[in-house]
Amino acid sequence: MSEHHIGPIDDFPEGKGTEVTVNGISIAVFNVGGTLKAVHNNCPHKQLPLHLAGHSEYGVKRGAVEEENCSIQCPWHNLEFNLDTGHNPVLDQRIPTYEVDVRDGGQVYLNL
Ligand code: FES
């Protein structure tokens, strides 16, 4: 496992996903009520990016970042993924999850 600095916590707005690329791997980082969670940025349904969950397009919110059960809805067809396990019960598949560490006055590190 290796650690990668991905920026200050202010780069990851609450309730939304943010894409980062580490070692050529696209990763979606979500700020869930002030806690950062990271998953592989590729929905197994149609291989579309998950990081747009929580963003708005033409005034309409795409997908969702849900604090209650620490999950997201895919911004494309709304399948739900738990951000701790990466599991989706409909597909019965898991997306890879990554450990996030915030320290040094709000600097964010990702472990791959
Ligand atoms: S691409 Fe994610 S639910 Fe379809």
Side-chain angles (χ1 to χ4, degrees):
M1 192 182 304
S2 58
E3 184 177 74
H4 303 268
H5 179 238
I6 57 171
I9 194 164
D10 291 347
D11 286 357
F12 302 92
E14 190 166 336
K16 293 182 178 181
T18 302
E19 181 184 26
V20 299
T21 303
V22 176
N23 291 346
I25 302 170
S26 176
I27 296 169
V29 180
F30 296 95
N31 184 330
V32 188
T35 300
L36 298 185
K37 300 286 180 177
V39 297
H40 194 61
N41 192 20
N42 185 17
C43 180
H45 178 224
K46 296 283 184 188
Q47 287 72 52
L48 294 170
L50 292 165
H51 74 277
L52 294 173
H55 291 258
S56 295
E57 186 178 63
Y58 308 115
V60 177
K61 201 168 189 178
R62 302 179 66 151
V65 178
E66 296 178 357
E67 195 174 340
E68 307 82 62
N69 51 2
C70 196
S71 67
I72 56 160
Q73 280 181 323
C74 178
W76 304 98
H77 312 105
N78 295 327
L79 286 179
E80 187 172 307
F81 294 88
N82 181 289
L83 291 172
D84 288 319
T85 65
H87 187 250
N88 169 269
V90 176
L91 301 174
D92 195 22
Q93 290 184 27
R94 289 181 197 278
I95 49 176
T97 59
Y98 305 100
E99 191 181 311
V100 183
D101 190 23
V102 182
R103 62 174 194 270
D104 303 336
Q107 298 301 311
V108 183
Y109 299 85
L110 201 55
N111 288 295
L112 299 190

